[in-house]
Amino acid sequence: MSAASKRSFGIVLLTSSIVLSAVGQLCMKAGMQGLRESPVALEATWSALRMLQEPLLFAAGGLLAYAISMLAWLAVLVRYPLSYAYPFLSLSYVLVYLGATHWSRLMETATPLRTAGTLLILLGVILVSRTEWPRGSKGVPGPGRT
Amino acid sequence: MNDLILFIAVGCLTASQVLQKLGAQRRLSETKSARQWIAALLAPELIGAALTIAIGTLLWLYVLYEMDVSRAFPFLSLGSVAVVAVSRIFLGEHVSLYRWVGVLLITVGLTLVAQS
């Protein structure tokens, strides 16, 4: 792989880890919420299980997305310094916030304070992203701009 | 007591990140195939990383039952600062001033997000 395609693969991995962990959180939340709202959650009969199929699928899908995001994270760590990559994970909070306030299944209320916090996180990540990028062969991050 | 558990939880989660980084660096970077990659997941560093993240997450969930999220979350967000600090101390990474400022902004942002 050329240096440029290595770099874009690293970005793909980092993005997958962030997005999948947010999707995982949101699906688990939607799934568990569906289970909780269902009037028959505990004394579930077969028909009730069929009713619960969708929330259970969401919860399980969420867990799967979460697991994959952890594997993608390990692949990210092969390519980037920890102190550079880790702050990017906070972007998943931003995605979770956007999802929780806009996804029709969840529709939580947005507050000015939370929105301000989300913007601060975004600003912080932008600052970190401008400090250094991986260079050099074999996925070993070299000195970049600091 | 809950503060102590929270502190241990953040410590475990931070330690897990260092172990994951060490594992990725030492065991995953030289792998040639997907099979080797999966086999390398059983390296001591990565098993340790899995254990510490599991313990940290369980303790965190316990604390969430006992404590208000708006109080617990700022501690957790301090974990971001802790991870950068240990990257510098134990992994020898260079952390520039901008990176520190960025991480501090993120920590403040996370604290605000947890307030209702």
Side-chain angles (χ1 to χ4, degrees), chain A residues 16-28 59-73 92-93 96, chain B residues 53 57 60:
Chain A
S16 325
S17 186
I18 294 162
V19 173
L20 284 172
S21 96
V23 168
Q25 292 282 359
L26 289 166
C27 287
M28 282 190 274
L63 267 179
L64 184 67
Y66 210 61
I68 297 174
S69 91
M70 291 178 107
L71 291 180
W73 179 242
S92 69
Y93 290 103
V96 168
Chain B
I53 207 169
T57 306
W60 167 246

Side-chain angles (χ1 to χ4, degrees), chain A residues 73 77 80 82-83 132, chain B residues 17 20-21 93 99 106 113:
Chain A
W73 179 242
L77 288 181
Y80 295 88
L82 181 59
S83 65
E132 191 177 358
Chain B
Q17 289 301 327
Q20 284 180 62
K21 175 65 185 170
E93 293 179 3
R99 195 174 292 175
I106 291 169
V113 168

Side-chain angles (χ1 to χ4, degrees), chain B residues 29-52:
Chain B
S29 61
E30 300 298 323
T31 52
K32 301 270 183 284
S33 64
R35 205 179 173 159
Q36 281 180 352
W37 202 92
I38 291 165
L41 292 180
L42 293 175
E45 293 92 344
L46 293 173
I47 300 243
L51 282 177
T52 41

Side-chain angles (χ1 to χ4, degrees), chain A residues 70-71 73-74 77-78 80-84 86-87 90 93 113-114 117-118 120-121 124 127 131-132 138 146, chain B residues 17 20-21 24 29-30 37 41 53 73 83 87 93 96 98-99 101-102 106 108-110 112-113 115-116:
Chain A
M70 291 178 107
L71 291 180
W73 179 242
L74 282 177
L77 288 181
V78 173
Y80 295 88
L82 181 59
S83 65
Y84 175 81
Y86 190 75
S90 309
Y93 290 103
L113 207 56
R114 285 186 179 156
T118 308
L120 271 188
I121 295 172
L127 263 189
T131 55
E132 191 177 358
K138 283 201 146 190
T146 56
Chain B
Q17 289 301 327
Q20 284 180 62
K21 175 65 185 170
S29 61
E30 300 298 323
W37 202 92
L41 292 180
I53 207 169
F73 220 75
V83 167
S87 303
E93 293 179 3
S96 64
Y98 273 160
R99 195 174 292 175
V101 174
I106 291 169
V108 176
L110 289 172
L112 288 184
V113 168
Q115 313 299 314
S116 44

Side-chain angles (χ1 to χ4, degrees), chain B residues 54-71:
Chain B
I55 296 170
T57 306
L58 286 177
L59 290 177
W60 167 246
L61 288 176
Y62 170 78
V63 168
L64 276 188
Y65 272 112
E66 301 282 318
M67 206 185 254
D68 213 34
V69 183
S70 60
R71 183 164 145 67

